[in-house]
Amino acid sequence: MDRIRIRGGRQLKGDIRISGSKNATLPLMVTALLSDKKLTLNNVPRLADITTMIQLLAQHGVEIESGTGENGHAHGTTLTLHTRKVTSTTAPYDIVRKMRASVLVLGALLAREGAARVSLPGGCAIGARPVDLHIAGLRAMGAEIDIDGGYMVARAPKGLKGARYTFPKVSVGATENLMMAAALAKGTTVLDNAAREPEITDLAECLAAMGVPVGGIGTETLTIEGVQSLKEATHSVIPDRIELGTYAMAVAMTAGDVELVGGRLELIESVVQTLRAAGVTLEETAKGIRVQRTNGALHGVDVMTEPYPGFPTDLQAQMMALMTRAEGASMITETVFESRFMHVPELSRMGANVTIHHESALVRGVPKLRGADVMATDLRASVSLAIAALAAEGDTTLHRVYHLDRGYERLEEKLAACGADIERLKS
Ligand code: EPZ
């Protein structure tokens, strides 16, 4: 298994290109199941999770070609997806257990084929993560769903019907699943208390380009008019706001000065406010966002994760790493997932002072961190350790790098190009 070695103490300086969003790309790829016409996606990041989604879709019968990217340049890949015929309506356990986002095929398969058999994803390092809302929403649209042998077995023999469904809790994945199902349902579907994440907006815009009328884009009430068939379309994936926030925090951690090329402030407004309160300068430039911390110490700030437009849970671990070196204390409260503090014991091994009390972590800033051997159990926890390592004395070796490779494209190259002392140790 690969490891990454980081020697702390270097300021990051230069520029980093932000890749296309992983969490936008995954559902966008699944929309190809809805249509027998081609879908072309530009600015797709090169990540392990995208490869897993390619494997899943290929076994459903999607023909997928990948190219070098927009304008023949290597800024992301271009994927062309074409589902002339769905060849299997089963999403097998072996793929779903690797990547939970696989459950997104449920709504699309059911809508197009009237049947789907999708493995339940099982446990996860960041919490229980049930799929009850996906199931309840599809039932409201007329689906019959049973659990059998660890699989969700869904049928809609007469097709799905448009319905009004109010989510009892905001869910990104369930909103996406129902949006895709609604695209081929009979009549209009209204989704209340829908997620408003930029990835949802990107999906809505792609569905609209495929010929599905979607109203209320960017609001908590989405209206989707079902159609009989979809059109050929081309769509460019939005920049990855979590990668953007992660690098902003890495720059802040090293008192650096970096332009995040392709970044947009409006994608991470709550994060920008929090970082500014902590003493970080962020300003929009012609090419993206310039992040600097050149004048003085970081200040402790309190953070509570919430669905968009609140502070994202996917940046909580990275923010905690940053706060370990702030002056004063910071209270970090996780409200989206119940056990997303797996990075805390590893940060503590590097000298951080963090106390967990239920869903909150009290971080007291320390004057220095020390390098150590560390490992993490999920993607964002792993990258938080890399951020801590950038400011730690001595060497840190990050184990289980496959978590990072799921969601950060060429992390070590991007950081090394800005002066970080970082290398991948091949196994
Ligand atoms: C998406 O997961 C992201 N994944 C996650 O990113 C992200 O952390 C999460 O949204 C929240 O922003 C992708 O987009 C592929 P949810 P998702 O359904 O859709 C509960 C990363 O690091 N819930 O919005 O699975 C759930 O347990 C990953 O890139 C139910 O109770 O998240 C959680 O507490 C990790 N029942 C809350 O809702 C359900 O049926 C929000 O989950 C579904 C969810």
Side-chain angles (χ1 to χ4, degrees), residues 1-3 425-427:
M1 261 185 267
D2 288 5
R3 287 159 297 147
L425 309 170
K426 292 273 179 196
S427 53

Side-chain angles (χ1 to χ4, degrees), residues 98-241:
K98 269 208 271 177
M99 187 181 68
R100 300 182 55 89
S102 307
V103 299
L104 292 174
V105 300
L106 178 64
L109 288 172
L110 191 56
R112 178 149 167 198
E113 297 296 308
R117 199 171 153 266
V118 176
S119 171
L120 282 163
C124 173
I126 61 176
R129 302 186 78 183
V131 286
D132 55 320
L133 304 177
H134 301 240
I135 294 176
L138 290 169
R139 281 188 177 142
M141 296 174 75
E144 295 159 19
I145 305 180
D146 298 315
I147 307 296
D148 186 22
Y151 279 73
M152 295 179 275
V153 182
R155 281 171 303 269
K158 295 189 214 120
L160 292 173
K161 294 187 298 285
R164 183 160 201 137
Y165 181 73
T166 303
F167 291 97
K169 175 175 190 173
V170 177
S171 162
V172 174
T175 302
E176 291 166 345
N177 229 332
L178 293 197
M179 286 167 77
M180 289 191 264
L184 287 181
K186 275 190 214 102
T188 304
T189 297
V190 180
L191 302 176
D192 287 315
N193 199 25
R196 285 183 282 163
E197 269 67 4
E199 295 76 26
I200 301 280
T201 297
D202 210 31
L203 174 61
E205 282 170 358
C206 181
L207 286 173
M210 293 166 88
V212 181
V214 185
I217 296 179
T219 74
E220 60 179 35
T221 301
L222 291 168
T223 307
I224 299 125
E225 312 270 349
V227 295
Q228 286 196 329
S229 63
L230 285 83
K231 298 190 297 204
E232 185 165 335
T234 299
H235 181 85
S236 238
V237 179
I238 52 167
D240 195 313
R241 66 192 168 98

Side-chain angles (χ1 to χ4, degrees), residues 256-269:
D257 182 352
V258 170
E259 188 166 16
L260 300 174
V261 178
R264 302 205 307 255
L265 284 181
E266 91 269 5
L267 288 173
I268 51 165
E269 256 169 40

Side-chain angles (χ1 to χ4, degrees), residues 22-23 129-133 171-173 314 336-337 340 380:
K22 165 179 86 78
N23 288 347
R129 302 186 78 183
V131 286
D132 55 320
L133 304 177
S171 162
V172 174
D314 288 348
V336 179
F337 291 110
R340 207 172 193 182
R380 311 301 172 186

Side-chain angles (χ1 to χ4, degrees), residues 244 259-265 283-290:
L244 179 62
E259 188 166 16
L260 300 174
V261 178
R264 302 205 307 255
L265 284 181
E283 56 191 17
E284 206 139 54
T285 63
K287 288 193 286 176
I289 300 176
R290 182 173 176 194

